[in-house]
Amino acid sequence: MPFEIIRADITQLKADAIVNAANHSLLGGGGVDGAIHKAAGPGLLDECKTLGGCKTGESKITKGYNLSAEYVIHTVGPVWEGGTKGEEKLLRACYRSTLELAVDHNFESIAFPLISSGVFGYPKDQAIQVAISVISEFLMDHDLMIYLVVYDQKAFVLSEKLFASVKAFISDNYVEEHHIANENRDYEMEVCYYSKSMRSLDDVLEELQETFSEHLIRMIDLKGKTDVETYKRANVDRKLFSKIRSDKFYRPSRTTVIAFSIALELNLDETKDLLEKAGFALSRSSKFDLIVEYFISEENYNIHEINEALFAFDQALLGV
Ligand code: AR6
């Protein structure tokens, strides 16, 4: 999974680099900055002293010293002043300049804290939106494992509007298990009817025999997508995708199947078909499934935004 939101203490992470939300002096401070300096030891401060500070939106790199991460990229986020002083542009620049440094150093993995969202006062829901937007854009043309690290439960806030809509969708559509059985039966009958009336028996038999991998490849073609676009939009790494492509009988996890249906912008019925090929179904008694269904019904196929909502509702993320 190239992009993952995780709950952790960033100082404990093993990655090529962790990112420090620093200040202009680069000489340490509170929050995550203080924690990183404490865990890295005095060597980090000594190296920071040689850097001559850092401007807002820019980034500088040092070694990681006693940290498990090999390097630290220090970036200076904007102080929130109500949102009218170019804060968003500066915050985007922090993520961007850090990611560019990571590419220059051929890093394979990097972990970000939610820059500016503590002492600097950037509203957390907006800070998360900025992070997700820059990171997802960046991943469309780079291969890198990026972690967005959320430190405490309170730190992760979905925008109020999205949270309310997803919650309302869940409570409006949640059904007990026994209703599902009937619904699935109705659905199966519908499919059967559709199959009989619209397609020849040969076509139906051929499609029935299709494996998940074959079905996926056919759908990629049908939707006019490329392989790269598909696995990127599915938040699946290249290696896993080639495995699926080359193994006709590959058995994917449920989250992987849904990730591909999001990547291909499948509607609900097409999603159900793809799941069925892998031996799964959608259930309206699962919060996870309802969240996915909400985004499909809204035609919002941004996998990272879906993962943001899944994370906020304590669900597994898509693309694993
Ligand atoms: N691991 C991951 N995230 C953390 C950790 C941790 N160990 N500790 C805190 N956070 P902040 P800023 C989260 O205040 O807003 C410093 O004094 C925290 O929950 O560290 O960019 C610097 O020297 C929050 O969501 O950084 C600057 O002067 C996020 O990290 C100033 O603070 C960022 O909070 C920078 O302020």
Side-chain angles (χ1 to χ4, degrees):
M1 200 186 340
F3 178 35
E4 196 174 348
I5 307 167
I6 56 171
R7 221 179 282 282
D9 173 356
I10 204 165
T11 63
Q12 303 303 310
L13 293 183
K14 207 168 153 42
D16 289 335
I18 60 168
V19 179
N20 182 17
N23 57 49
H24 290 143
S25 75
L26 294 188
L27 300 179
V32 73
D33 193 5
I36 289 176
H37 274 275
K38 190 163 171 231
L44 180 62
L45 182 60
D46 289 344
E47 189 177 348
C48 282
K49 283 180 183 160
T50 68
L51 297 176
C54 184
K55 289 188 188 143
T56 306
E58 295 183 1
S59 310
K60 294 205 173 165
I61 189 164
T62 63
K63 293 199 285 289
Y65 298 91
N66 299 337
L67 293 165
S68 306
E70 261 193 79
Y71 292 89
V72 179
I73 299 182
H74 308 260
T75 188
V76 183
V79 175
W80 180 256
E81 292 182 74
T84 54
K85 301 275 165 58
E87 291 94 325
E88 183 183 336
K89 201 164 164 226
L90 288 166
L91 187 56
R92 295 184 81 88
C94 285
Y95 284 97
R96 197 76 217 181
S97 60
T98 303
L99 289 167
E100 275 157 15
L101 269 181
V103 170
D104 291 346
H105 287 77
N106 293 320
F107 291 161
E108 289 181 355
S109 58
I110 186 167
F112 283 95
L114 282 172
I115 301 162
S116 281
S117 74
V119 176
F120 282 177
Y122 208 107
K124 287 198 162 84
D125 57 339
Q126 294 180 47
I128 291 164
Q129 281 305 314
V130 171
I132 290 181
S133 152
V134 182
I135 291 169
S136 44
E137 238 172 69
F138 179 85
L139 282 172
M140 285 314 286
D141 41 35
H142 294 90
D143 283 325
L144 187 65
M145 180 65 223
I146 303 177
Y147 298 95
L148 186 62
V149 182
V150 174
Y151 191 46
D152 47 48
Q153 192 74 33
K154 275 182 286 164
F156 198 84
V157 198
L158 207 55
S159 86
E160 222 173 279
K161 197 167 148 245
L162 179 60
F163 189 81
S165 316
V166 175
K167 220 171 155 199
F169 187 87
I170 292 174
S171 57
D172 286 353
N173 292 287
Y174 185 86
V175 282
E176 303 290 339
E177 281 299 347
H178 62 273
H179 291 142
I180 296 290
N182 290 333
E183 192 180 280
N184 278 350
R185 215 172 22 242
D186 290 349
Y187 168 68
E188 277 156 23
M189 282 168 72
E190 232 172 74
V191 169
C192 197
Y193 174 71
Y194 172 76
S195 308
K196 277 189 190 134
S197 59
M198 310 289 288
R199 291 176 286 182
S200 77
L201 187 61
D202 280 354
D203 286 349
V204 175
L205 284 177
E206 202 166 291
E207 280 181 27
L208 277 178
Q209 282 159 5
E210 215 176 31
T211 65
F212 165 76
S213 165
E214 290 170 330
H215 189 77
L216 177 67
I217 293 163
R218 190 165 62 80
M219 290 309 280
I220 293 173
D221 262 11
L222 207 66
K223 298 282 172 183
K225 307 261 188 219
T226 64
D227 283 3
V228 179
E229 201 185 339
T230 305
Y231 70 73
K232 293 251 176 205
R233 287 185 184 281
N235 198 30
V236 160
D237 68 25
R238 192 171 34 84
K239 279 188 215 141
L240 175 59
F241 182 78
S242 351
K243 229 191 255 176
I244 297 174
R245 215 184 200 300
S246 57
D247 178 1
K248 182 176 161 181
F249 298 106
Y250 185 85
R251 294 179 67 94
S253 71
R254 209 167 168 284
T255 52
T256 300
V257 181
I258 294 179
F260 280 114
S261 73
I262 296 298
L264 293 172
E265 307 189 358
L266 302 187
N267 64 29
L268 211 53
D269 284 346
E270 292 169 327
T271 301
K272 285 173 180 168
D273 282 350
L274 189 63
L275 274 165
E276 204 181 74
K277 290 290 168 198
F280 302 116
L282 272 184
S283 156
R284 284 207 160 173
S285 57
S286 144
K287 214 190 249 183
F288 175 93
D289 288 9
L290 281 168
I291 294 171
V292 169
E293 201 179 317
Y294 167 81
F295 280 91
I296 293 177
S297 67
E298 291 288 305
E299 295 180 18
N300 178 346
Y301 291 102
N302 183 327
I303 197 139
H304 304 301
E305 282 178 24
I306 301 174
N307 274 345
E308 182 192 346
L310 288 169
F311 186 84
F313 282 88
D314 281 322
Q315 303 298 305
L317 303 189
L318 293 174
V320 192

